[in-house]
């Protein structure tokens, strides 16, 4: 009788422990979610994430623009650089970002040193913008890229939120980007 009670108690402990582990948010993740439908979400582990890039075709000058983001110690997104192939209407001015540096490169133009903290990034998946997001993870000596077309995750014209969150193991497993 005593052995049976100990066995049942042990099983109950493991069930409670596992349920608690799955329900407690402890994984740092980059969250991509639909603004109007929060159940449509995807997570990527932020542990070894060095930076990520969002690229798109600019609606006015039709050139590719790439925005570069990192994660700071406050767990906020930081826009640290933008690159574009042609300069003109709708492209930011270096003066918009005190301390930023404007340079012409072999691939176009670049504004670096922006260092603008963004708690959450809200954007719409474009019809013709061909939004892509590339996550760069550290693998000891190299950066390993993982690229996703946003229209493969969300329908065009969907307003999405990109932010950092702590999520539970169960939530992470169920909503991990594949």
């Amino acid at each position: 009788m005593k052995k049976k009670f100990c066995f049942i108690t042990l099983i109950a402990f493991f069930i409670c422990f596992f349920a608690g582990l799955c329900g407690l948010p402890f994984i740092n993740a980059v969250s991509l979610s639909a603004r109007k439908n929060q159940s449509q979400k995807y997570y990527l582990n932020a542990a070894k994430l060095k930076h990520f890039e969002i690229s798109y075709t600019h609606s006015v000058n039709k050139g590719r623009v790439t925005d570069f983001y990192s994660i700071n110690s406050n767990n906020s997104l930081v826009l640290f650089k933008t690159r574009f192939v042609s300069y003109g209407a709708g492209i930011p001015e270096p003066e918009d970002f005190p301390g930023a540096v404007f340079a012409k490169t072999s691939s176009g133009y670049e504004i670096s040193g922006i260092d603008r903290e963004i708690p959450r990034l809200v954007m719409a998946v474009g019809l013709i913008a061909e939004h892509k997001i590339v996550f760069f993870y550290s693998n000891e000596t190299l950066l390993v890229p993982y690229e996703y077309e946003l229209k493969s995750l969300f329908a065009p014209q969907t307003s999405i939120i990109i932010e950092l969150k702590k999520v539970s193991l169960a939530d992470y497993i169920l909503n991990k980007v594949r």
Side-chain angles (χ1 to χ4, degrees), residues 66-174:
T66 304
D67 293 329
F68 297 80
Y69 296 88
S70 63
I71 299 169
N72 68 10
S73 58
N74 298 333
N75 264 350
S76 290
L77 304 175
V78 177
L79 173 64
F80 66 90
K81 178 170 65 172
T82 187
R83 183 181 300 146
F84 38 94
V85 295
S86 61
Y87 192 69
I91 298 296
E93 295 287 336
E95 296 81 32
D96 294 341
F97 308 103
V101 177
F102 183 86
K104 178 149 178 37
T105 67
S106 61
S107 59
Y109 300 93
E110 190 172 282
I111 301 175
S112 60
I114 296 172
D115 298 328
R116 180 176 171 204
E117 188 172 310
I118 303 167
R120 59 190 237 161
L121 176 62
V122 179
M123 62 181 283
V125 177
L127 287 169
I128 58 169
E130 298 296 323
H131 284 98
K132 289 185 181 173
I133 189 165
V134 183
F135 295 90
F136 290 89
Y137 286 91
S138 175
N139 184 6
E140 300 299 322
T141 56
L142 20 129
L143 289 178
V144 180
Y146 292 88
E147 182 176 315
Y148 304 93
E149 289 187 11
L150 287 181
K151 70 180 181 183
S152 70
L153 301 173
F154 302 95
Q157 298 185 324
T158 300
S159 179
I160 65 170
I161 299 168
I162 301 172
E163 62 188 333
L164 289 147
K165 285 185 170 182
K166 284 199 181 289
V167 298
S168 70
L169 179 61
D171 201 17
Y172 179 76
I173 291 170
L174 290 173

